[in-house]
């Protein structure tokens, strides 16, 4: 799967009396830009029917925090803000560099990687996160696996997930582009034992062991997108290469502590059914790339209901966004609730997504 390089922005929430800081990634560089505000005059007050204040921002070219990656590493392709709570409370910027050079114990030359950057004036205050530092050339291939293509944080003190959607499993007759994701602890390290009931490490590849045919899971490419739900019960993965590029979304609870305590007895769910694995039940046509982008919300359609919003930028020749809800435990499926189709031919509607609560109703 090829990607078009595109800028990525984030908002860092600072103290209420301080301006916000916007993070902007482009061409292997990270910039932090300040935001300002302007008060509207009487004319705008009347024109906007009583709106007394307009909030806007300009790009401040003087007060900029910049982080540079290695040339050609695609440093900044993915971004996530993370709050570490232990051993000290601090904010960290997680930066994916999917074309970074391999680590010492990897046999490949270019594997991609993840960086953690302190929010400080020091321009060199970024360190590569050490994980995935091995490779068995008999069973796997990590060359151009694109580690860091996606990264997400579970929130303050929560887990981190980053993925390599082009990771390959080697069989005697085939090479399966399954994709693979790593779970890291809240301090951006790998723990030997389960922390908070969730295992760290790279054993997050749900397409492994499935039928490797091209029409099914041979080009799964898990991890192009990844998300958490707000209650920290699920890890949610997009795999746009499954089912002949129809794509799928897969979610599962892997908090073993909650399962052992019988608090949440959940089963893996996915479009097409985790049990039946029926491509005809996936709510998009072939070559749609469902799961290319993803966002999660609650009460989007019904109060208290979890909704997974999945982009399918090649569906119907213009792109589509599918709103999914949990199906039944018996079918282990996710069901389409609504779909939105793009209007422009080849517009890639659904290429990127976010969920916002504009009216503050929860």
């Amino acid at each position: 799967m090829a990607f078009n390089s595109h800028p990525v922005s984030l908002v860092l929430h600072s103290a209420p009396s301080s301006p916000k800081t916007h993070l902007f990634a482009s061409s292997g560089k990270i910039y932090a830009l300040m935001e300002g505000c302007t008060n509207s005059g009487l004319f705008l007050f009347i024109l906007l029917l009583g709106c007394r204040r307009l909030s806007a921002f300009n790009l401040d070219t003087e007060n900029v925090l910049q982080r540079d990656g290695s040339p050609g590493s695609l440093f900044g392709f993915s971004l996530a803000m993370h709050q570490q709570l232990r051993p000290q409370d601090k904010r960290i910027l997680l930066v994916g560099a999917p074309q970074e050079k391999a680590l010492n114990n990897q046999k490949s030359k270019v594997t991609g990687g993840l960086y953690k950057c302190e929010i400080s004036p020091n321009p060199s205050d970024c360190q590569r996160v050490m994980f995935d530092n091995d490779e068995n050339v008999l069973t796997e291939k990590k060359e151009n696996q694109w580690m860091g293509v996606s990264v997400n944080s579970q929130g303050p003190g929560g887990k981190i997930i980053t993925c390599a959607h082009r990771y390959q499993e080697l069989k005697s007759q085939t090479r399966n582009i399954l994709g693979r994701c790593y779970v890291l602890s809240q301090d951006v390290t790998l723990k030997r034992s389960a922390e908070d009931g969730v295992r760290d490490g790279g054993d997050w590849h749900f397409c492994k062991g499935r039928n490797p045919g091209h029409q099914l899971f041979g080009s799964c490419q898990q991890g192009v997108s990844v998300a958490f739900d707000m209650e920290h019960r699920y890890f949610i993965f997009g795999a746009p290469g499954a089912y002949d590029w129809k794509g799928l979304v897969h979610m599962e609870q892997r908090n073993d502590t909650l399962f052992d305590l019988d608090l949440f007895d959940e089963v893996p769910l996915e479009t097409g059914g985790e049990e039946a694995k029926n491509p005809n039940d996936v709510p998009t046509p072939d070559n749609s790339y469902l799961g290319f982008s993803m966002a999660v919300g609650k009460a989007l359609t019904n109060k208290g209901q979890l909704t997974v919003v999945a982009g399918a930028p090649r569906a119907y020749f213009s792109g589509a966004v599918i709103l999914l809800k949990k199906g039944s435990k018996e079918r282990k499926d996710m069901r389409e609730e609504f779909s939105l189709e793009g209007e422009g031919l080849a517009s890639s509607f659904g290429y990127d997504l976010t969920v916002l609560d504009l009216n503050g109703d929860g």
Side-chain angles (χ1 to χ4, degrees):
M1 176 184 295
F3 287 91
N4 295 322
S5 298
H6 61 288
V8 185
S9 62
L10 285 174
V11 178
L12 295 177
H13 293 281
S14 52
S17 60
S18 304
K20 294 177 182 177
T21 303
H22 290 255
L23 289 173
F24 180 81
S26 182
S27 300
K29 299 178 183 292
I30 304 289
Y31 303 93
L33 306 168
M34 306 307 291
E35 173 183 323
C37 298
T38 60
N39 290 325
S40 59
L42 179 61
F43 177 76
L44 287 179
F45 174 83
I46 296 173
L47 186 63
L48 297 176
L49 301 177
C51 178
R52 295 184 180 182
R53 187 174 179 85
L54 295 177
S55 178
F57 70 90
N58 295 315
L59 302 183
D60 182 353
T61 59
E62 297 180 358
N63 303 296
V64 175
L65 301 180
Q66 179 176 325
R67 300 290 186 265
D68 296 338
S70 303
S73 67
L74 297 185
F75 179 85
F77 189 90
S78 61
L79 296 171
M81 286 302 305
H82 176 69
Q83 183 177 352
Q84 173 187 304
L85 298 181
R86 302 180 303 276
Q88 64 181 116
D89 189 339
K90 62 179 178 179
R91 271 68 171 177
I92 299 172
L93 173 64
L94 302 171
V95 183
Q99 287 286 278
E100 185 58 275
K101 294 179 180 178
L103 295 169
N104 293 336
N105 293 331
Q106 293 175 329
K107 304 299 189 298
S108 298
K109 295 180 179 180
V110 176
T111 59
L114 181 71
Y115 284 81
K116 60 177 182 179
C117 300
E118 304 285 344
I119 309 302
S120 72
N122 185 355
S124 61
D125 209 354
C126 285
Q127 296 179 342
R128 186 166 180 178
V129 182
M130 299 301 294
F131 69 99
D132 192 36
N133 191 11
D134 58 10
E135 184 174 0
N136 186 341
V137 295
L138 299 178
T139 61
E140 61 184 351
K141 183 179 180 181
K142 296 184 179 181
E143 184 70 32
N144 287 316
Q145 67 172 349
W146 278 60
M147 179 61 74
V149 68
S150 60
V151 62
N152 210 329
S153 167
Q154 204 172 20
K159 294 289 188 177
I160 297 162
I161 291 186
T162 187
C163 301
H165 74 296
R166 290 172 60 88
Y167 169 84
Q168 295 184 42
E169 176 190 51
L170 303 182
K171 295 286 190 179
S172 59
Q173 302 293 329
T174 62
R175 292 184 177 184
N176 304 318
I177 312 175
L178 302 182
R180 182 186 191 185
C181 296
Y182 264 83
V183 172
L184 306 173
S185 286
Q186 61 92 33
D187 59 353
V188 205
T189 63
L190 288 173
K191 302 296 185 186
R192 292 182 178 275
S193 59
E195 183 182 67
D196 301 328
V198 181
R199 299 192 313 272
D200 289 354
D203 293 330
W204 297 82
H205 34 52
F206 66 85
C207 287
K208 185 174 183 178
R210 297 188 179 188
N211 190 319
H214 177 70
Q215 301 291 329
L216 294 171
F217 304 104
S219 298
C220 199
Q221 300 207 18
Q222 171 193 343
V224 173
S225 63
V226 62
F228 300 97
D229 72 305
M230 289 70 67
E231 296 180 348
H232 298 183
R233 291 169 58 179
Y234 302 103
F235 294 166
I236 310 171
F237 305 95
Y243 297 131
D244 197 19
W245 301 99
K246 179 175 286 194
L248 67 80
V249 174
H250 176 95
M251 62 185 292
E252 59 183 291
Q253 173 193 301
R254 291 297 291 269
N255 191 315
D256 298 330
T257 300
L258 297 179
F259 185 83
D260 292 341
L261 293 175
D262 200 27
L263 294 178
F264 298 121
D265 183 14
E266 301 288 354
V267 295
L269 306 174
E270 67 182 51
T271 51
E274 204 275 340
E275 191 73 30
K277 299 178 178 61
N278 186 355
N280 295 323
D281 291 337
V282 177
T284 50
D286 290 345
N287 300 300
S288 291
Y289 288 14
L290 178 66
F292 187 91
S293 60
M294 197 160 49
V296 181
K298 201 165 187 180
L300 291 179
T301 56
N302 292 294
K303 187 175 181 179
Q305 176 180 294
L306 174 69
T307 299
V308 177
V309 186
R314 293 187 61 179
Y316 310 111
F317 305 105
S318 59
V321 172
I322 312 297
L323 276 65
L324 301 165
K325 66 178 181 179
K326 293 167 59 178
S328 67
K329 287 186 177 181
E330 292 74 25
R331 290 176 53 86
K332 299 182 181 180
D333 63 343
M334 300 178 68
R335 299 178 184 176
E336 175 187 6
E337 198 166 14
F338 296 102
S339 64
L340 305 170
E341 295 185 20
E343 297 182 357
L345 181 66
S347 63
S348 295
F349 183 77
Y351 185 94
D352 206 355
L353 293 170
T354 191
V355 172
L356 298 175
D357 184 8
L358 296 177
N359 61 358
D361 64 354

